[in-house]
Amino acid sequence: MIQISAPSLGNEEWEALREPLESGWLTQGPKVAEFERHFAAHHGVEHALATTSCTTALHLMLAAAGIGPGDEVIVPSFTWISTANAVLYTGATPVLADVDPVTYNIDPQDAASRVSDQTKAIIAVHLFGLCADVLALRAALPDHIVIFEDAACAAGAMLGDQWAGSLGHAAAFSFHPRKSITTGEGGMLTTNDSQLAEIAEKLRNHGAEVSEEQRHKGPQPYLLPDFNHLGFNYRMTDLQGAIGLVQLRKLESFVAERDQWAAFYLESLTDIPWLQMPSRPASGRHAWQAFVTRTAVDVDRNRVMAQLFEQGISTRPGTHAIHMLGHYQNSFGFTDDSLPHSRDCELRTMALPLHNRMAAEDFERVVAALQSVRV
Ligand SMILES: *Cc1c(COP(=O)(O)O)cnc(C)c1O
């Protein structure tokens, strides 16, 4: 079976665990701090704060920015559910916008049409590693609306010459094994806003005024800090920080390799008339977290997936449309047709295997299998 995705880990990650295991410092400490410094430098931002996941980074980002009850935050419907869930955790209301069926990213005009007096922010999702058109969003939205990034899929991606994670006010990345680099579970909040970073740092650690490492290494490690905010425990472990550091060093080669194989797919699959290829940015860089195609309107996507499965090739729908999920239909009264492009993407997208453990013959097998599919 050719898997849709597989993490790429080796001896270096194994070795990196030795130091925290031997020192006994397992919670957030020096390895996480080093991972944060390198991640921030790599993505051209001032601050990076590691978290337990992208979902918690999204929540932390919104909470640190003061988003709460009575506020509305615009998010695309075609994304992973946690983009919208994170808004709900703060007590604010997610307002779903439709996506562009070519890029799969939020449609700036549709987003602008959903602005109300309560709208405080928008979360631009860089779906599958392709940066959302943040410049078009900025132009389409009133100035006071804050642009955040869901960069879960976008480690190493660029819009023009600017890195994902530095395109909005703050961003959240994921290190789930389905993404390009992984720490098992894990996430990262990035921002150039020192004040937001300072609040987020406290909220990540129960709202404590000083971090555990600061306390242990400070003059009075026996005294507990004050807690002036309602915080959470969203700290990454140093074991994960150690693995993240190794993975980050491999990010550039992972993305370059993915880009090379994405180009191979784009070239080899163009003669299949019923399969729309993902769009490649004219400038900047697609991180290719996933290679997501779209079947023609008269093709039964699930039948195609079944035929590929029989040939030992795993595929998946790109992601879901949030407005079609039970919790959102029950809470907000959406019907499947509320956001037609997102619905269409949920029903017609198909991710092909693309990861850094695939060999040339695996990619060739996928292409041959697709060419043999009967639609
Ligand atoms: C994977 C993903 C998330 C969630 O990331 P976790 O680290 O699993 O919480 C959020 N948004 C998008 C767009 C994703 O692809």
PDB file of all heavy atoms in Angstrom, residues 289-306:
ATOM      1  N   GLN A 289       2.048  20.376   1.503  1.00  0.00           N
ATOM      2  CA  GLN A 289       1.678  19.483   2.606  1.00  0.00           C
ATOM      3  C   GLN A 289       0.848  18.327   2.045  1.00  0.00           C
ATOM      4  O   GLN A 289       0.957  17.193   2.510  1.00  0.00           O
ATOM      5  CB  GLN A 289       0.874  20.261   3.678  1.00  0.00           C
ATOM      6  CG  GLN A 289       0.388  19.408   4.854  1.00  0.00           C
ATOM      7  CD  GLN A 289      -1.041  18.923   4.676  1.00  0.00           C
ATOM      8  OE1 GLN A 289      -1.830  19.542   3.951  1.00  0.00           O
ATOM      9  NE2 GLN A 289      -1.387  17.817   5.313  1.00  0.00           N
ATOM     10  N   ALA A 290       0.039  18.654   1.040  1.00  0.00           N
ATOM     11  CA  ALA A 290      -0.727  17.613   0.348  1.00  0.00           C
ATOM     12  C   ALA A 290      -0.883  18.010  -1.111  1.00  0.00           C
ATOM     13  O   ALA A 290      -0.880  19.194  -1.448  1.00  0.00           O
ATOM     14  CB  ALA A 290      -2.092  17.423   0.993  1.00  0.00           C
ATOM     15  N   PHE A 291      -1.014  17.001  -1.970  1.00  0.00           N
ATOM     16  CA  PHE A 291      -1.252  17.225  -3.396  1.00  0.00           C
ATOM     17  C   PHE A 291      -2.716  16.894  -3.651  1.00  0.00           C
ATOM     18  O   PHE A 291      -3.097  15.718  -3.701  1.00  0.00           O
ATOM     19  CB  PHE A 291      -0.331  16.335  -4.245  1.00  0.00           C
ATOM     20  CG  PHE A 291      -0.354  16.663  -5.713  1.00  0.00           C
ATOM     21  CD1 PHE A 291       0.563  17.566  -6.252  1.00  0.00           C
ATOM     22  CD2 PHE A 291      -1.299  16.094  -6.552  1.00  0.00           C
ATOM     23  CE1 PHE A 291       0.534  17.882  -7.610  1.00  0.00           C
ATOM     24  CE2 PHE A 291      -1.337  16.399  -7.905  1.00  0.00           C
ATOM     25  CZ  PHE A 291      -0.414  17.298  -8.438  1.00  0.00           C
ATOM     26  N   VAL A 292      -3.531  17.956  -3.760  1.00  0.00           N
ATOM     27  CA  VAL A 292      -4.985  17.750  -3.777  1.00  0.00           C
ATOM     28  C   VAL A 292      -5.568  18.087  -5.142  1.00  0.00           C
ATOM     29  O   VAL A 292      -5.537  19.236  -5.584  1.00  0.00           O
ATOM     30  CB  VAL A 292      -5.662  18.561  -2.656  1.00  0.00           C
ATOM     31  CG1 VAL A 292      -7.177  18.351  -2.688  1.00  0.00           C
ATOM     32  CG2 VAL A 292      -5.110  18.140  -1.294  1.00  0.00           C
ATOM     33  N   THR A 293      -6.086  17.061  -5.794  1.00  0.00           N
ATOM     34  CA  THR A 293      -6.707  17.196  -7.111  1.00  0.00           C
ATOM     35  C   THR A 293      -8.218  17.335  -6.938  1.00  0.00           C
ATOM     36  O   THR A 293      -8.743  17.210  -5.828  1.00  0.00           O
ATOM     37  CB  THR A 293      -6.423  15.948  -7.965  1.00  0.00           C
ATOM     38  OG1 THR A 293      -7.026  14.821  -7.305  1.00  0.00           O
ATOM     39  CG2 THR A 293      -4.913  15.694  -8.098  1.00  0.00           C
ATOM     40  N   ARG A 294      -8.915  17.580  -8.060  1.00  0.00           N
ATOM     41  CA  ARG A 294     -10.368  17.685  -8.012  1.00  0.00           C
ATOM     42  C   ARG A 294     -10.939  16.955  -9.217  1.00  0.00           C
ATOM     43  O   ARG A 294     -10.519  17.200 -10.350  1.00  0.00           O
ATOM     44  CB  ARG A 294     -10.789  19.154  -8.045  1.00  0.00           C
ATOM     45  CG  ARG A 294     -12.095  19.418  -7.334  1.00  0.00           C
ATOM     46  CD  ARG A 294     -12.224  20.891  -7.018  1.00  0.00           C
ATOM     47  NE  ARG A 294     -12.592  21.636  -8.210  1.00  0.00           N
ATOM     48  CZ  ARG A 294     -13.726  22.322  -8.338  1.00  0.00           C
ATOM     49  NH1 ARG A 294     -14.576  22.387  -7.340  1.00  0.00           N
ATOM     50  NH2 ARG A 294     -14.001  22.961  -9.441  1.00  0.00           N
ATOM     51  N   THR A 295     -11.887  16.062  -8.954  1.00  0.00           N
ATOM     52  CA  THR A 295     -12.471  15.294 -10.057  1.00  0.00           C
ATOM     53  C   THR A 295     -13.540  16.125 -10.755  1.00  0.00           C
ATOM     54  O   THR A 295     -14.143  17.020 -10.143  1.00  0.00           O
ATOM     55  CB  THR A 295     -13.098  13.980  -9.539  1.00  0.00           C
ATOM     56  OG1 THR A 295     -14.003  14.291  -8.475  1.00  0.00           O
ATOM     57  CG2 THR A 295     -12.029  13.034  -9.005  1.00  0.00           C
ATOM     58  N   ALA A 296     -13.764  15.837 -12.032  1.00  0.00           N
ATOM     59  CA  ALA A 296     -14.763  16.585 -12.809  1.00  0.00           C
ATOM     60  C   ALA A 296     -16.151  16.359 -12.215  1.00  0.00           C
ATOM     61  O   ALA A 296     -16.398  15.375 -11.515  1.00  0.00           O
ATOM     62  CB  ALA A 296     -14.726  16.133 -14.268  1.00  0.00           C
ATOM     63  N   VAL A 297     -17.055  17.284 -12.534  1.00  0.00           N
ATOM     64  CA  VAL A 297     -18.371  17.309 -11.890  1.00  0.00           C
ATOM     65  C   VAL A 297     -19.180  16.032 -12.175  1.00  0.00           C
ATOM     66  O   VAL A 297     -19.960  15.585 -11.345  1.00  0.00           O
ATOM     67  CB  VAL A 297     -19.144  18.600 -12.297  1.00  0.00           C
ATOM     68  CG1 VAL A 297     -19.523  18.578 -13.768  1.00  0.00           C
ATOM     69  CG2 VAL A 297     -20.327  18.851 -11.396  1.00  0.00           C
ATOM     70  N   ASP A 298     -18.958  15.407 -13.339  1.00  0.00           N
ATOM     71  CA  ASP A 298     -19.743  14.219 -13.685  1.00  0.00           C
ATOM     72  C   ASP A 298     -19.040  12.909 -13.302  1.00  0.00           C
ATOM     73  O   ASP A 298     -19.444  11.833 -13.723  1.00  0.00           O
ATOM     74  CB  ASP A 298     -20.042  14.235 -15.196  1.00  0.00           C
ATOM     75  CG  ASP A 298     -18.772  14.364 -16.036  1.00  0.00           C
ATOM     76  OD1 ASP A 298     -17.704  14.723 -15.454  1.00  0.00           O
ATOM     77  OD2 ASP A 298     -18.811  14.087 -17.245  1.00  0.00           O
ATOM     78  N   VAL A 299     -17.980  13.013 -12.498  1.00  0.00           N
ATOM     79  CA  VAL A 299     -17.231  11.816 -12.092  1.00  0.00           C
ATOM     80  C   VAL A 299     -17.553  11.475 -10.642  1.00  0.00           C
ATOM     81  O   VAL A 299     -17.672  12.363  -9.805  1.00  0.00           O
ATOM     82  CB  VAL A 299     -15.704  12.069 -12.271  1.00  0.00           C
ATOM     83  CG1 VAL A 299     -14.873  11.012 -11.574  1.00  0.00           C
ATOM     84  CG2 VAL A 299     -15.364  12.134 -13.760  1.00  0.00           C
ATOM     85  N   ASP A 300     -17.711  10.179 -10.362  1.00  0.00           N
ATOM     86  CA  ASP A 300     -17.973   9.734  -8.987  1.00  0.00           C
ATOM     87  C   ASP A 300     -16.616   9.594  -8.266  1.00  0.00           C
ATOM     88  O   ASP A 300     -15.931   8.587  -8.417  1.00  0.00           O
ATOM     89  CB  ASP A 300     -18.741   8.407  -9.040  1.00  0.00           C
ATOM     90  CG  ASP A 300     -19.065   7.880  -7.640  1.00  0.00           C
ATOM     91  OD1 ASP A 300     -18.490   8.389  -6.647  1.00  0.00           O
ATOM     92  OD2 ASP A 300     -19.894   6.952  -7.564  1.00  0.00           O
ATOM     93  N   ARG A 301     -16.262  10.620  -7.506  1.00  0.00           N
ATOM     94  CA  ARG A 301     -14.947  10.657  -6.842  1.00  0.00           C
ATOM     95  C   ARG A 301     -14.716   9.410  -5.978  1.00  0.00           C
ATOM     96  O   ARG A 301     -13.629   8.830  -5.980  1.00  0.00           O
ATOM     97  CB  ARG A 301     -14.850  11.933  -6.006  1.00  0.00           C
ATOM     98  CG  ARG A 301     -13.469  12.283  -5.452  1.00  0.00           C
ATOM     99  CD  ARG A 301     -13.218  11.999  -3.978  1.00  0.00           C
ATOM    100  NE  ARG A 301     -14.332  11.952  -3.087  1.00  0.00           N
ATOM    101  CZ  ARG A 301     -14.585  12.849  -2.143  1.00  0.00           C
ATOM    102  NH1 ARG A 301     -13.825  13.897  -2.005  1.00  0.00           N
ATOM    103  NH2 ARG A 301     -15.618  12.693  -1.330  1.00  0.00           N
ATOM    104  N   ASN A 302     -15.754   9.006  -5.241  1.00  0.00           N
ATOM    105  CA  ASN A 302     -15.567   7.876  -4.325  1.00  0.00           C
ATOM    106  C   ASN A 302     -15.294   6.567  -5.073  1.00  0.00           C
ATOM    107  O   ASN A 302     -14.581   5.696  -4.581  1.00  0.00           O
ATOM    108  CB  ASN A 302     -16.774   7.730  -3.400  1.00  0.00           C
ATOM    109  CG  ASN A 302     -16.880   8.908  -2.439  1.00  0.00           C
ATOM    110  OD1 ASN A 302     -16.001   9.776  -2.405  1.00  0.00           O
ATOM    111  ND2 ASN A 302     -17.948   8.943  -1.667  1.00  0.00           N
ATOM    112  N   ARG A 303     -15.856   6.472  -6.271  1.00  0.00           N
ATOM    113  CA  ARG A 303     -15.602   5.281  -7.089  1.00  0.00           C
ATOM    114  C   ARG A 303     -14.143   5.274  -7.557  1.00  0.00           C
ATOM    115  O   ARG A 303     -13.491   4.232  -7.604  1.00  0.00           O
ATOM    116  CB  ARG A 303     -16.551   5.276  -8.300  1.00  0.00           C
ATOM    117  CG  ARG A 303     -17.046   3.895  -8.620  1.00  0.00           C
ATOM    118  CD  ARG A 303     -17.972   3.845  -9.798  1.00  0.00           C
ATOM    119  NE  ARG A 303     -17.410   2.911 -10.779  1.00  0.00           N
ATOM    120  CZ  ARG A 303     -17.266   3.192 -12.062  1.00  0.00           C
ATOM    121  NH1 ARG A 303     -17.627   4.364 -12.542  1.00  0.00           N
ATOM    122  NH2 ARG A 303     -16.747   2.294 -12.878  1.00  0.00           N
ATOM    123  N   VAL A 304     -13.635   6.436  -7.890  1.00  0.00           N
ATOM    124  CA  VAL A 304     -12.222   6.556  -8.273  1.00  0.00           C
ATOM    125  C   VAL A 304     -11.340   6.146  -7.093  1.00  0.00           C
ATOM    126  O   VAL A 304     -10.392   5.358  -7.241  1.00  0.00           O
ATOM    127  CB  VAL A 304     -11.895   8.012  -8.702  1.00  0.00           C
ATOM    128  CG1 VAL A 304     -10.396   8.174  -8.946  1.00  0.00           C
ATOM    129  CG2 VAL A 304     -12.694   8.397  -9.946  1.00  0.00           C
ATOM    130  N   MET A 305     -11.686   6.655  -5.900  1.00  0.00           N
ATOM    131  CA  MET A 305     -10.883   6.334  -4.715  1.00  0.00           C
ATOM    132  C   MET A 305     -10.905   4.826  -4.437  1.00  0.00           C
ATOM    133  O   MET A 305      -9.886   4.241  -4.058  1.00  0.00           O
ATOM    134  CB  MET A 305     -11.400   7.122  -3.504  1.00  0.00           C
ATOM    135  CG  MET A 305     -11.184   8.628  -3.632  1.00  0.00           C
ATOM    136  SD  MET A 305     -11.982   9.567  -2.312  1.00  0.00           S
ATOM    137  CE  MET A 305     -10.734   9.512  -1.066  1.00  0.00           C
ATOM    138  N   ALA A 306     -12.052   4.195  -4.649  1.00  0.00           N
ATOM    139  CA  ALA A 306     -12.181   2.753  -4.412  1.00  0.00           C
ATOM    140  C   ALA A 306     -11.297   1.969  -5.387  1.00  0.00           C
ATOM    141  O   ALA A 306     -10.617   1.013  -4.994  1.00  0.00           O
ATOM    142  CB  ALA A 306     -13.643   2.334  -4.548  1.00  0.00           C
TER     143      ALA A 306
END
